[in-house]
Amino acid sequence: MVLELRGFAMLLTPGERRFLLELHQRGIRYLLIGASAANAQGARIATVDMDLWFEDATDPRIAEAAKAAGGVWVSGAFGMRPPQIGGLADADRFDVVTHADGLNSFEREFSRAKSIEIDEIALKVLPLERIIVSKRAAGRSRDLAQIPALEEALAVLKEKPSEDE
């Protein structure tokens, strides 16, 4: 099931959209996590980035996708951490996550991810419950400060009848 968000405030720039489409065309698995994933599910918390967690950050197809979208993939090799996506026109919000506090393996989290359509792209996003777990585990003040808004958004989602009802 893909949840389509009409009128959603987090629209993708053309460069972001190009890069995500290139990832999809190559079958690269990734999750949108963190505050941007929470926003995509209705939480209203401030963020300036989009955290991408790749199944395999060493996958050479990521570099191919970045190049095809007009950018470059810096793998994080040679002690440079974390990997980075650069050079994409109007697409500087992407952050690559290599470790997510409090979460299970990528495979396990991907298996319970939600599909949300933004700008005609189906994105796999970490569910709000798991975002809350991760933010608690991180324990940073900025993460802990977001938890009440995340819990409120989760409560609202649970009150809404599902499309299956």
Side-chain angles (χ1 to χ4, degrees), residues 1 5-6 12-14 17 22 37 44 66 70-72 92 94-95 97 106 122 140 146 159 163-164:
M1 173 181 84
L5 301 175
R6 298 192 194 290
L12 300 169
T13 67
R17 192 170 190 285
E22 292 295 339
R44 294 298 171 233
V72 64
D92 60 355
F94 291 126
D95 281 341
V97 175
F106 176 90
R140 299 176 302 192
Q146 292 177 338
E159 289 174 5
E163 293 178 4
D164 298 334

Side-chain angles (χ1 to χ4, degrees), residues 18-95:
R18 260 191 316 277
F19 178 62
L20 294 174
L21 285 171
E22 292 295 339
L23 292 176
H24 283 272
Q25 289 175 357
R26 287 164 175 75
I28 298 167
R29 295 194 333 164
Y30 66 91
L31 284 171
L32 181 64
I33 68 171
S36 55
N39 283 338
Q41 295 170 76
R44 294 298 171 233
I45 55 177
T47 187
V48 294
D49 58 18
M50 297 173 62
D51 295 329
L52 299 179
W53 183 16
F54 290 98
E55 178 178 32
D56 178 6
T58 65
D59 187 335
R61 296 176 301 163
I62 301 171
E64 293 169 11
K67 183 177 180 181
V72 64
W73 170 253
V74 181
S75 69
F78 310 112
M80 186 177 171
R81 285 282 189 225
Q84 297 178 348
I85 304 158
L88 295 171
D90 69 6
D92 60 355
R93 293 189 294 173
F94 291 126
D95 281 341

Side-chain angles (χ1 to χ4, degrees), residues 38-150:
N39 283 338
Q41 295 170 76
R44 294 298 171 233
I45 55 177
T47 187
V48 294
D49 58 18
M50 297 173 62
D51 295 329
L52 299 179
W53 183 16
F54 290 98
E55 178 178 32
D56 178 6
T58 65
D59 187 335
R61 296 176 301 163
I62 301 171
E64 293 169 11
K67 183 177 180 181
V72 64
W73 170 253
V74 181
S75 69
F78 310 112
M80 186 177 171
R81 285 282 189 225
Q84 297 178 348
I85 304 158
L88 295 171
D90 69 6
D92 60 355
R93 293 189 294 173
F94 291 126
D95 281 341
V96 178
V97 175
T98 57
H99 170 76
D101 291 310
L103 298 181
N104 294 312
S105 68
F106 176 90
E107 185 65 40
R108 176 72 177 117
E109 298 299 346
F110 190 85
S111 73
R112 55 182 163 197
K114 293 185 174 196
S115 291
I116 294 181
E117 190 170 296
I118 299 175
D119 286 351
E120 300 175 357
I121 297 178
L123 300 174
K124 289 288 216 173
V125 300
L126 193 66
L128 281 173
E129 297 92 343
R130 302 302 295 155
I131 294 168
I132 292 168
V133 166
S134 182
K135 291 201 173 281
R136 276 200 178 107
R140 299 176 302 192
S141 59
R142 67 178 184 211
D143 291 317
L144 297 175
Q146 292 177 338
I147 291 175
L150 295 172

